[in-house]
Amino acid sequence: MSETSGTSASTPKLRAELDGVPTYKPGKPAAADGPAAFKLSSNENPYPPLPGVMESALAAAANFNRYPDMACTELAAELADRFGVPVSHIATGTGSVGVAQSLLQATSGPGDEVIYAWRSFEAYPIITQISGATSVQVPLTADEVHDLDAMAEAITDRTRLIFVCNPNNPTGTAVRRAELERFLDRVPSDVLVVIDEAYKEFVRDTDIPDGIELYRDRPNVAVLRTFSKAYGLAGLRVGFAIAHEPVAAALRKTAVPFGVSQVAQDAAVASLRAEDELLGRVGSLVAERERVRAGLVAQGWTVPDAQANFVWLRLGERTMEFAAECERHGVVVRPFAGEGVRVTIGETEANDLFLKVTEGFRQGA
Ligand SMILES: Cc1ncc(COP(=O)(O)O)c(C=O)c1O
């Protein structure tokens, strides 16, 4: 049969870069039945939407026969005002992971290198490989922190983009101001550094810098933020970058047209206006994080500094056994086989249940 007849048995030609792309593993959902099951596997915000935010979202939903405002005009203006940056420096997307993918598309392709710590956010290797660029993974230090010196040494003339995940997912650790500034001073000005601050609002250590301050006088620094965590809009998919021109302009070119729904845009604007209440909730989650971490340390666990909305337990070979034990007790965590588990700070009841499991596991060990 001829190749052009349309009935050839061969399959459509797909890009070779897709071979072996790891699939993103979403946090496992809580069981629909059985004992009260809590999902502590996706770093979500356990609080339900605020009534005012819900109202804005529902009002926008009434018009979903229309396309959304493609430029996210109102949201971008609110963000520019909130952070004291030019509106042309704001680029929105379908969650910060959507913006991260746009950053890859804007900077990197076959033959280019993208540096990031490992282990870190699991989307980095996926979106890098999809772009055709090569991942350069730099192991975390023994304290589970970015090894910024090693990352600086990994820069070559092929490096196009560097992710600094601060605080880092899944370890919760963060780099300090002086070391990050020293690192940025070592990066060539034509290499983009993306400071991924998905968990910024949960940071309490004052020595951890605000990426937006670092971006201001560094044209090669971009900051990623999201409404998914502190603001509780994970299901609506809206995040943004703050970046100088021409990076922000390139992000607007590579973004999926109309990617951010009007429901998401209006809910994000309403969330910014209800920030005091939302950040109050973040304060409660941080208090819970400190309580959980202290409880774990009292039980004898080694827990790295936790600056996000989760804790990290390095369990090595016992990781999957521990995750199964949690699940048996109604708590779903996020295991990374052979490495450790990441456990999101959730409702007090869920956190208490988790601490009970950790205590039993240590005693049984
Ligand atoms: C470090 C980091 N960056 C980005 C994201 C993406 O969040 P979203 O796409 O929901 O904004 C996550 C989500 O888990 C994350 O952990």
Side-chain angles (χ1 to χ4, degrees):
M1 192 118 358
S2 98
E3 283 283 314
T4 52
S5 71
T7 52
S8 158
S10 64
T11 57
K13 288 195 171 75
L14 301 174
R15 288 172 52 228
E17 285 91 349
L18 299 187
D19 292 343
V21 169
T23 40
Y24 190 106
K25 282 205 195 81
K28 206 172 159 183
D33 50 12
F38 294 101
K39 184 181 179 212
L40 302 182
S41 55
S42 293
N43 295 345
E44 293 155 334
N45 192 317
Y47 289 96
L50 285 178
V53 174
M54 180 69 108
E55 241 167 62
S56 296
L58 290 175
N63 294 312
F64 66 43
N65 54 313
R66 304 289 178 191
Y67 286 104
D69 170 2
M70 192 167 118
C72 297
T73 313
E74 193 183 2
L75 176 58
E78 286 275 342
L79 289 169
D81 188 46
R82 163 77 175 72
F83 294 109
V85 303
V87 74
S88 62
H89 286 199
I90 306 280
T92 47
T94 52
S96 54
V97 75
V99 186
Q101 185 149 26
S102 290
L103 282 161
L104 259 305
Q105 272 190 292
T107 59
S108 311
D112 298 332
E113 292 175 350
V114 177
I115 298 175
Y116 51 87
W118 200 248
R119 179 170 280 281
S120 189
F121 181 35
E122 68 173 315
Y124 300 154
I126 299 172
I127 59 181
T128 300
Q129 194 170 333
I130 290 171
S131 76
T134 303
S135 279
V136 177
Q137 300 184 335
V138 177
L140 297 169
T141 66
D143 293 335
E144 315 272 11
V145 184
H146 278 53
D147 187 341
L148 290 178
D149 285 335
M151 288 174 73
E153 276 144 32
I155 297 171
T156 70
D157 56 8
R158 294 187 189 195
T159 307
R160 292 291 173 274
L161 190 152
I162 304 172
F163 283 111
V164 176
C165 189
N166 211 39
N168 187 46
N169 176 5
T171 57
T173 52
V175 293
R176 304 297 191 271
R177 184 173 290 105
E179 54 182 321
L180 186 51
E181 283 179 350
R182 196 171 60 235
F183 171 76
L184 294 176
D185 290 344
R186 288 180 70 181
V187 178
S189 58
D190 61 354
V191 172
L192 182 66
V193 180
V194 178
I195 306 177
D196 184 344
E197 295 189 331
Y199 303 96
K200 170 75 183 107
E201 297 83 358
F202 297 90
V203 169
R204 286 298 178 271
D205 182 335
T206 54
D207 203 23
I208 295 167
D210 180 337
I212 296 174
E213 295 315 315
L214 297 174
Y215 122 98
R216 290 192 196 277
D217 59 355
R218 289 182 169 84
N220 69 326
V221 171
V223 178
L224 274 182
R225 296 276 181 99
T226 181
F227 282 94
S228 296
K229 312 294 178 181
Y231 295 85
L233 303 185
L236 290 182
R237 314 305 304 127
V238 53
F240 60 98
I242 297 183
H244 291 263
E245 305 280 357
V247 176
L251 290 178
R252 285 189 284 274
K253 284 182 194 165
T254 51
V256 173
F258 304 108
V260 185
S261 73
Q262 201 61 49
V263 174
Q265 292 183 39
D266 290 2
V269 168
S271 299
L272 286 171
R273 292 179 186 164
E275 203 171 44
D276 287 351
E277 200 169 348
L278 288 168
L279 295 183
R281 290 174 161 190
V282 168
S284 304
L285 290 169
V286 168
E288 274 295 281
R289 176 187 78 200
E290 297 307 313
R291 184 179 75 84
V292 169
R293 187 168 181 279
L296 290 167
V297 170
Q299 289 172 10
W301 292 86
T302 302
V303 194
D305 183 26
Q307 292 291 325
N309 66 340
F310 50 86
V311 292
W312 170 249
L313 297 178
R314 188 165 280 284
L315 281 142
E317 293 310 313
R318 301 195 69 190
T319 295
M320 299 315 285
E321 177 195 345
F322 176 81
E325 184 67 8
C326 286
E327 211 164 313
R328 254 196 303 283
H329 288 83
V331 184
V332 185
V333 299
R334 175 68 169 92
F336 296 87
E339 296 180 59
V341 295
R342 186 193 69 199
V343 186
T344 308
I345 300 301
E347 304 83 340
T348 304
E349 193 186 346
N351 303 333
D352 284 343
L353 199 49
F354 168 63
L355 283 171
K356 230 182 230 161
V357 182
T358 54
E359 190 173 25
F361 195 82
R362 271 201 85 79
Q363 282 165 2

